[in-house]
Amino acid sequence: MANNAAALDSIFYALADPTRRAVIQRLGRGSATVGELAEPFAMALPSFMKHVGILERTGLIRSRKRGRIRTCTLEQKNLAAAERWFAEQRSMWASRYQNLDSLLESLNGEKRDS
C-alpha cells in the first residue's frame, strides 16, 4: 500500500506542472519526438528534458533513442493509477452526498410533521 501511495504521489507531482500535463496530453494522441514535444514551449531543450526525465521516472512516459532522435510514448497503464484514484474519490463523495441528501430529506420530513 505504501509503495502504491508513493507511486501515486510521484504521478501527481509530475502532473502538477502545466508543461508536463501538456506533454501527457499531446502524447495521448500518439508518440512524438522530443523536438516535437518541446516545440510549443519557450524554453531551452535542456530545461525541457528535465520535464521529460520527471515523466519518465514516474513511469508516465517512456522514450527510446534511435540515432539522434528520442521518441516518447505515453504509458497509459501508469496514468490509469491516477484515474483509479479519482474514480475511488468520486464514488466515495457520491455516497457521502447521497447520505447527506437522505438526512436532509428526513429532517425536512420531520419539520413538516411538527
Side-chain angles (χ1 to χ4, degrees), residues 52-67:
V52 170
I54 290 169
L55 291 170
E56 282 187 295
R57 281 191 297 281
T58 60
L60 292 172
I61 69 170
R62 67 178 161 82
S63 69
R64 71 177 193 286
K65 190 171 182 179
R66 283 204 177 136

Side-chain angles (χ1 to χ4, degrees), residues 84-99:
R84 279 191 303 276
W85 184 85
F86 280 118
E88 291 168 2
Q89 296 305 306
R90 238 182 266 108
S91 175
M92 177 186 65
W93 283 102
S95 174
R96 288 179 178 180
Y97 285 134
Q98 186 175 9
N99 290 341

Side-chain angles (χ1 to χ4, degrees), residues 21-84:
R21 285 194 309 272
V23 169
I24 294 295
Q25 187 173 13
R26 166 54 189 86
L27 291 175
R29 297 190 315 254
S31 298
T33 66
V34 168
E36 292 168 336
L37 292 171
E39 190 175 311
F41 303 102
M43 68 177 71
L45 191 57
S47 297
F48 184 77
M49 287 303 295
K50 290 180 182 179
H51 290 290
V52 170
I54 290 169
L55 291 170
E56 282 187 295
R57 281 191 297 281
T58 60
L60 292 172
I61 69 170
R62 67 178 161 82
S63 69
R64 71 177 193 286
K65 190 171 182 179
R66 283 204 177 136
R68 295 176 56 162
I69 308 291
R70 181 173 296 278
T71 303
C72 298
T73 306
L74 182 64
E75 287 291 318
Q76 293 186 10
K77 74 175 176 97
N78 293 333
L79 190 57
E83 291 173 6
R84 279 191 303 276

